[in-house]
Structure formats: C-alpha cells, structure tokens
Amino acid sequence: MGEILYMLRLKLVFACMMELSKFPLDSQVCTMEIASFSKTMKELKLSWKSDMPIKMYKNMRMPQFEMEKIVPTTCQESFQIGNYSCLVAEFHMRRAIGFHLVQSYLPTILIVVISWVSFWMDVDSVPGRTTLGVTTLLTVSSKSSGIQAGLPQVSYVKAIDVWMGACTAFVFCALLEFTFVNYLWRRRPQVELRSRGGSNGTCLAERYAHITTYAHPQKSTGAPVPSPTEVKITPAGGSAVVTTPGSAAPGGSDVHKSATSPGHEDTSHMTAQFVRAIKQSNKIKARQIDEYCRGLFPLLFGLFNIFYWCYYML
C-alpha cells in the first residue's frame, strides 16, 4: 500500500529549568521537544496521534513530583534555509509536599511553640529561660542551614526562606522579650528627695553621711581652742548625735547630746515605702508583659501561617 513502518527506540535524559520562587509549594511545567534536523516541512511533517499520543507507565512514581497532566502540542522552527516541523510535550507536575511537611514545616512549628514555654516560666528562672531561648534559636538556624544545603544557589527568595526567616524571628523575639522583662524585674529605682526650700536635691545616701566640724583657733585673743565637735546622722533611728570628746559625764563617760528630727524620720519612711512601691510596680509590669505575650505571639504566628499558605498555595 506504499506505507513504511519505521520504529526506533531512544533513551534520553532531559533537563528542566525550574522556577523555585515558591519552593516547596511550587508547580513546574517541563517540556520535551522533538524536531526534524535535516528535512524541511516540504519533506517531513511531524504530528501526534489522535488517540493517546503519549502513554505513561501506570505504576511510574516520582519521589518529589506528582504528574498532573501531559499536553501534546506542535511547533514550527524557522531558519534561513526553511521551516522545520517539531513536536512539544508539556509535563505539568506538582511537587509532593509530604516530605517537606515532615522534615521542614512541622519541626520548625514545634520549635517555635517550645520557645513560648518561657512565657509561663517565672522571671527569676534566668538560666532556664535563657537556655530555652538560645537552644531553640540555634536549632532553627541549623535546620535552615540543612535545608539550604540541598537546594541550588538562586538569586531570588524562595518560600522556604520566608518560612525559616519568620520562625527565626519569632524565636528571637521570644528571647528578646525575656531580656526586657528580666531588666524590668531587676531594675533598681534611682530615687532622689528634693527639698522644698531649695533647688538642690539630697540623695538618699546622704542619710548615712558622717560630718565632722572643727572650730578655728583664735590667734589674736589667745583664747583656748575648743575641741572638735563630731556630728553623726544615724541611718536607722533618724536622730542627730552631737559628741564632744573633751567633755565627760560624772560617771566617767562622754556626754552625748541627742536631738531627734521627726521630719527626717518621716522622710526616710516615706522614701522606703516609695522604693518598695516602685519595685513592686516593676514586677507587676514584667508579669503583665509575659501574660500579654502569651496571647500575642500565638496570634501573630497563626496570622502568618494563614497568609503564608494562602499566598503560596493559591
């Protein structure tokens, strides 16, 4: 009947340039082109069969991709010496997410959640909270390095980079929150008392001052030089004690003249209460920040998950 049956078996390895901006939630379209090399369209014209042009093996499985569909099309290559017929097969593939869910997403989610345990720990447990924060931060960093080691070096940001960067930021913010809370918890208030009559302030430490005054000798009159007078302000009792070493009591002891200062005692008592109130206020603020972060961090992480999966999956 003038028909020739020509059969040829070829084993080929094709390369596909992939777009990895949505890795590992990406879909790829890889093409296979078959074209004539020496015969133009006047001599040879290639076309697909009308019934099942491309057949795939039923039990064929790929480790990273799932075959969605195969689209057979035709093309035409134009050169200076003529036009050549060609065939194109488009393989639409979607990357299997199961491996990356188990190896990348679930472990990092658990690490971020573990970093929030520090919000329920007491502020005084500095070694425990510090160890937890640093350990989770290093774990996320090592996990990110392991993922990047198996990927090609591309110049754009991938979806997995956004995920790992966000997880690292959440863990780092949890550690930073503990640093700020611990600073509030341990901060000592610097309180100064201001006198009503003057502008110069009197620090609390001046209550413990030791003041010694001496009388100047009278050289012109030749009068005897009085002994030095020592004035001490005791921190506990709030009384001023004037001591003259030269004078003695009948019983053989020195004569002490004490003068109580009720105003100074009231000021010291009020200052101590004020310092305790400030310390208590700082501790209350630290606990409130921890309670606030307990709800804020999960909310922000949940919103990030919704935005991430909706943006890269749709």
Side-chain angles (χ1 to χ4, degrees):
M1 301 298 292
E3 294 182 357
I4 299 175
L5 178 61
Y6 178 77
M7 298 180 66
L8 178 66
R9 179 177 180 178
L10 298 176
K11 185 177 179 181
L12 305 176
V13 179
F14 293 90
C16 180
M17 294 298 295
M18 296 185 178
E19 174 65 29
L20 299 176
S21 59
K22 292 186 177 183
F23 176 87
L25 307 175
D26 55 335
S27 298
Q28 303 294 335
V29 178
C30 296
T31 60
M32 180 184 67
E33 299 182 5
I34 301 174
S36 173
F37 176 71
S38 59
K39 297 183 181 298
T40 62
M41 293 185 65
K42 296 179 180 180
E43 301 174 301
L44 177 65
K45 184 177 181 181
L46 301 177
S47 62
W48 293 103
K49 281 185 177 182
S50 59
D51 184 19
M52 297 183 64
I54 301 175
K55 296 180 181 180
M56 299 291 295
Y57 184 60
K58 295 181 179 180
N59 297 326
M60 188 189 70
R61 296 290 184 271
M62 289 181 290
Q64 293 191 26
F65 292 95
E66 295 177 358
M67 188 67 66
E68 292 184 338
K69 61 181 179 178
I70 302 175
V71 180
T73 58
T74 59
C75 61
Q76 181 178 342
E77 299 290 342
S78 299
F79 296 97
Q80 295 180 353
I81 58 176
N83 297 330
Y84 294 86
S85 177
C86 67
L87 300 177
V88 179
E90 295 181 354
F91 298 89
H92 294 258
M93 300 178 295
R94 177 175 293 274
R95 193 181 300 273
I97 194 63
F99 172 80
H100 298 282
L101 280 177
V102 176
Q103 297 295 328
S104 301
Y105 288 102
L106 289 180
T108 50
I109 290 175
L110 292 178
I111 292 170
V112 174
V113 173
I114 289 173
S115 67
W116 300 340
V117 177
S118 61
F119 299 149
W120 278 267
M121 299 174 65
D122 194 14
V123 184
D124 286 336
S125 59
V126 178
R129 296 187 67 167
T130 304
T131 304
L132 181 62
V134 173
T135 303
T136 51
L137 185 61
L138 293 177
T139 306
V140 173
S141 300
S142 62
K143 191 67 179 176
S144 177
S145 301
I147 294 174
Q148 293 295 332
L151 295 179
Q153 302 293 330
V154 294
S155 59
Y156 47 84
V157 179
K158 301 179 290 294
I160 193 65
D161 297 334
V162 176
W163 177 265
M164 299 305 299
C167 292
T168 305
F170 274 100
V171 175
F172 177 76
C173 289
L175 182 61
L176 195 64
E177 185 270 346
F178 165 68
T179 305
F180 178 71
V181 166
N182 187 260
Y183 169 74
L184 285 180
W185 186 272
R186 297 179 179 272
R187 186 178 62 177
R188 296 181 178 180
Q190 302 293 332
V191 184
E192 292 186 356
L193 297 178
R194 299 289 180 179
S195 59
R196 295 182 181 180
S199 59
N200 295 329
T202 304
C203 183
L204 293 176
E206 292 183 0
R207 295 192 296 132
Y208 303 92
H210 180 232
I211 306 172
T212 304
T213 58
Y214 294 91
H216 296 282
Q218 300 177 5
K219 296 181 180 180
S220 60
T221 58
V225 179
S227 60
T229 303
E230 185 177 67
V231 181
K232 293 183 179 180
I233 301 176
T234 59
S239 60
V241 180
V242 182
T243 305
T244 305
S247 60
S253 60
D254 294 340
V255 178
H256 298 275
K257 298 180 182 180
S258 301
T260 59
S261 55
H264 184 76
E265 183 178 358
D266 295 340
T267 303
S268 302
H269 183 66
M270 292 175 61
T271 303
Q273 289 183 349
F274 184 62
V275 171
R276 286 195 297 269
I278 292 180
K279 289 183 178 180
Q280 189 67 21
S281 175
N282 290 339
K283 292 183 178 181
I284 292 174
K285 289 180 180 178
R287 290 193 176 96
Q288 287 178 350
I289 292 174
D290 272 344
E291 293 177 358
Y292 181 72
C293 290
R294 292 174 193 174
L296 179 63
F297 274 69
L299 177 62
L300 293 178
F301 192 67
L303 293 177
F304 167 74
N305 273 270
I306 294 174
F307 174 78
Y308 178 85
W309 293 102
C310 291
Y311 179 78
Y312 286 105
M313 291 293 289
L314 298 179

